Structures are given as C-alpha cells and as structure tokens.
Amino acid sequence: IDPSGRGKDETAVCVLKSLNGNIYLRRNLGYREGYSDATLSNIVDIAKQERVNLILIESNFGDGMFQALLQPYLAKHYPCTCEEFRSTTQKEKRIIDTLEPVIEQHRLIIDPQTVKDDLDTTQGLPPEDALSYRLFYQMTRISRLKGSLRHDDRIDALAAGVGWFVEQMKQDQDKMEDKRKDKTFKEELDVFYSNGKRSCLTKNVIQGLIPATVISNLPLRKRRKIQRSWRQM
C-alpha cells in the first residue's frame, strides 16, 4: 500500500502473489479519498478476497499513521500481519531498477482483471487526467528523470511489492546454497568415518565449499581426528 492524504494523489493498493519464481499481479487499484472509511474497508475486503497473508505499508506518509488507522478494520474483519517499509532513494530510478529486470525476464504475469480495474477506476475523471492515474500509462511513460510522471502511485505500489518478492527470492537462494553445503559436508563426513581414510573433506573446507563454523561445532574428538588428517596432507 502506498498511502496518501486527501488531494490529487491516490492511495494505491497492489496485490501480488508468487509461485515458481514468477510474480503474479492480481489487483492494482487507486483511491482518491485518502484514508476514509470506504477506502479502509475496501482495502480489507480486497485482502480477504485475495487471502493476503502480509500487508506492506509505506511509512513515508504520516510516519505510520495509515497502519494505525487500518489495524482496527483488519482486527474486526480479517486479521493479517502488517509491516512498514520506508523508501529513501529517488523514486523513478528505484521503480525502474526494480521492475525492469523482472519484466525483461517475463516473470511478471498480469491478471486481465487488473487491466479492467485500471480502466474502470478512472472512468469518472476528465480524459486529460484519467490517463495519468492509470498503471499501464505510468509503466509506459516513466523515465529516470525526476518528476517524469504527474502521478506515480500505482506503479510505486507495484514496484514496492515486486521488490519485496525479489528480496525474498534472493534469501531463498542463499538458504538453498547453505543447505547444499551442509549436505556436501555430511556426505563427506560419512565417507571419512566409514572407511577410516582421508577424504576430500579437508579440501572442500579449505576451498570454502564447507563452512569452517560447521567444523568448529563438531565434538572435540572428531575435530582432532580431522586435524590429524590435515597434518598428513
């Protein structure tokens, strides 16, 4: 959620899901009533319909006020975890750097309903204003120049959600790499103790394939046995 007060800016809401390395854009909407009861109720309804399990709220506006206003509605209708985040870099550059790699790799999949919502939610606006509020207009007009868009709320919310998923994917890759190293270590350790001979365990430790901290956590008797094999190399 990219909150805003009453005025020309929108409170933008973006719903994303992820599966098999792809990111799915399910909903992208904008509300121009700021933090009215109708806006807060609609946000909770969308979260419930989409079975959202985490709501990210940009704290730049109001320093956490929007989350405080939303929490009672969530507690009553759809209890859900909320987290705040803060953006500090130039908006246009941050949005492009986040979305460009994902779109180029065809990993952002857009629900057709999002396109319909993008049109329907701007129907009551003058034609000269309606375009600037639409997500897909913002996606095709943004540049790295500061202020390149009259309105950027919807694409900003999309970039924030995509950025969160990309960061989670990186962490998952790191965890998988750690698991691979642990598995390699256990296999080498089994070979070492099963045949009583020196194996390539020490070579893998020296090359950094197996974390040295794993060795240090072994019982003293096993560490000494490994150290003796090192001296024989």
Side-chain angles (χ1 to χ4, degrees), residues 206-223:
I206 293 172
Q207 291 180 347
L209 297 178
I210 301 173
T213 53
V214 177
I215 296 294
S216 64
N217 290 331
L218 290 174
L220 179 61
R221 182 179 176 184
K222 291 185 178 180
R223 292 205 309 269

Side-chain angles (χ1 to χ4, degrees), residues 181-189 201 210 214-215:
K181 290 181 179 179
D182 289 343
K183 182 180 179 182
T184 301
F185 170 76
K186 290 176 182 178
E187 290 174 350
E188 293 291 345
L189 200 60
L201 169 66
I210 301 173
V214 177
I215 296 294

Side-chain angles (χ1 to χ4, degrees), residues 33 80 83-84 94 107 143 146 152 156 178 210:
E33 300 84 13
C80 182
E83 293 181 5
E84 290 186 337
R94 169 172 50 82
R107 290 169 54 198
S143 72
K146 187 175 179 60
D152 53 23
D156 194 15
D178 290 341
I210 301 173

Side-chain angles (χ1 to χ4, degrees), residues 12-171:
V13 178
C14 181
V15 179
L16 294 164
K17 300 184 180 184
S18 179
L19 179 66
N20 297 331
N22 293 319
I23 300 173
Y24 296 81
L25 175 58
R26 291 280 297 152
R27 305 293 294 273
N28 190 281
L29 302 166
Y31 300 93
R32 289 176 291 280
E33 300 84 13
Y35 36 86
S36 66
D37 289 341
T39 297
L40 296 172
S41 296
N42 284 336
I43 290 173
V44 174
D45 288 343
I46 290 172
K48 187 175 183 178
Q49 292 168 12
E50 296 292 338
R51 299 181 180 180
V52 169
N53 52 37
L54 174 63
I55 298 177
L56 299 174
I57 302 174
E58 187 174 13
S59 62
N60 295 43
F61 173 80
D63 196 20
M65 179 184 67
F66 192 88
Q67 179 176 348
L69 294 171
L70 184 63
Q71 284 286 8
Y73 291 83
L74 289 170
K76 184 177 180 180
H77 301 288
Y78 184 68
C80 182
T81 303
C82 283
E83 293 181 5
E84 290 186 337
F85 68 96
R86 180 173 291 272
S87 302
T88 56
T89 58
Q90 182 196 336
K91 184 180 293 187
E92 291 80 4
K93 183 178 183 300
R94 169 172 50 82
I95 291 172
I96 292 174
D97 288 345
T98 301
L99 294 180
E100 188 175 38
V102 177
I103 293 174
E104 284 187 347
Q105 296 170 20
H106 305 286
R107 290 169 54 198
L108 180 62
I109 301 170
I110 299 173
D111 192 308
Q113 183 62 39
T114 303
V115 181
K116 185 176 183 301
D117 290 342
D118 204 37
L119 294 172
D120 292 345
T121 54
T122 57
Q123 287 296 333
L125 295 173
E128 61 273 14
D129 293 332
L131 277 175
S132 62
Y133 280 105
R134 292 173 183 167
L135 169 65
F136 298 102
Y137 178 89
Q138 295 170 12
M139 289 178 70
T140 56
R141 300 300 191 280
I142 191 171
S143 72
R144 294 182 183 273
L145 295 176
K146 187 175 179 60
S148 59
L149 294 174
R150 285 178 59 193
H151 301 288
D152 53 23
D153 305 296
R154 299 190 188 193
I155 193 172
D156 194 15
L158 172 62
V162 169
W164 186 87
F165 273 114
V166 169
E167 187 61 32
Q168 295 302 308
M169 291 175 189
K170 288 181 181 177
Q171 293 178 11

